[in-house]
Every structure is written in structure tokens, then in C-alpha cells.
Amino acid sequence: MVAHLSALIGVVITGAWFGWGCFLGPLVVWLVKKETMPFVDDQAKEALNFNITVAIVMVALKVLVLITLGLGKLVAWPVGVVVWLGWLVCTVLAAIRASEGVRYRYPYTLRLIG
């Protein structure tokens, strides 16, 4: 559960930069607990993969705005809001499921850490 909710702290800390730091908390949890707790290892990897995917999308939206000299805001802002809301809902659902001891799989996630 901590791995999922720690992403919220990363967003708060890096919020001014589209919350790209959402993967930092799950990364720390995974690195510390991957050898000793198999369930935490699985869920921290899942949270890490999902948050890396979200960070990539948010940075790509920021680059779109920069490349188009601000015109990309017409696309980036609505897409960013939808991604952020989806991220928030999925993160809360994952934390609830993990607290119940149920493995949660995020949708639309690049499985970069295996």
C-alpha cells in the first residue's frame, strides 16, 4: 500500500513540473523491500511501472507545449487533466486492493521493470 500511495508524495513534491516525480516513492519502496517481501516486490514494481508510464506521458505533454511555443496547451491541458484523474483513481484503487492483500494490475502500463 505504501508503494502505491508514495506516488502521491512524489506528485506533491514535483507538482510544478507536471508531477514527473510520481515514480520516486515506488522506486524507493521497491529497492528497499524487493528481496524480503514478495508481495511488496510485486506491487512496488507495478506502481513503479505505472508511474514511470504516467511520468513519460506528462513530460511528453510538456515537450509538446514547448515545441509548439504554447499552442500545444490546447491539447496538452485536456489530455493532462484526463491522465491525472485516471492516475489518481488508479492509485487509490491500487492502494485499497493492496491493503486487502490483493494484487492490483494497472491498466495501460508499460512493463519496463520486470
Side-chain angles (χ1 to χ4, degrees):
M1 182 174 80
V2 172
H4 298 292
L5 292 179
S6 65
L8 295 171
I9 296 167
V11 167
V12 169
I13 292 170
T14 62
W17 299 285
F18 278 90
W20 65 268
C22 58
F23 65 89
L24 296 175
L27 176 63
V28 170
V29 172
W30 180 63
L31 289 173
V32 170
K33 294 294 183 178
K34 69 180 178 179
E35 300 294 328
T36 59
M37 302 178 80
F39 181 74
V40 175
D41 173 47
D42 175 64
Q43 289 302 288
K45 278 193 293 193
E46 189 66 22
L48 182 57
N49 283 323
F50 178 67
N51 285 290
I52 288 172
T53 303
V54 170
I56 290 169
V57 170
M58 295 310 249
V59 168
L61 291 174
K62 182 73 170 177
V63 169
L64 173 69
V65 171
L66 293 173
I67 288 174
T68 61
L69 302 174
L71 291 176
K73 283 184 182 180
L74 297 173
V75 173
W77 193 84
V79 171
V81 168
V82 169
V83 169
W84 184 81
L85 287 173
W87 170 83
L88 184 61
V89 168
C90 286
T91 300
V92 170
L93 283 174
I96 291 169
R97 295 281 166 80
S99 72
E100 297 169 347
V102 177
R103 295 181 190 272
Y104 183 79
R105 293 290 174 247
Y106 287 97
Y108 310 111
T109 301
L110 299 173
R111 308 280 182 219
L112 301 171
I113 310 295

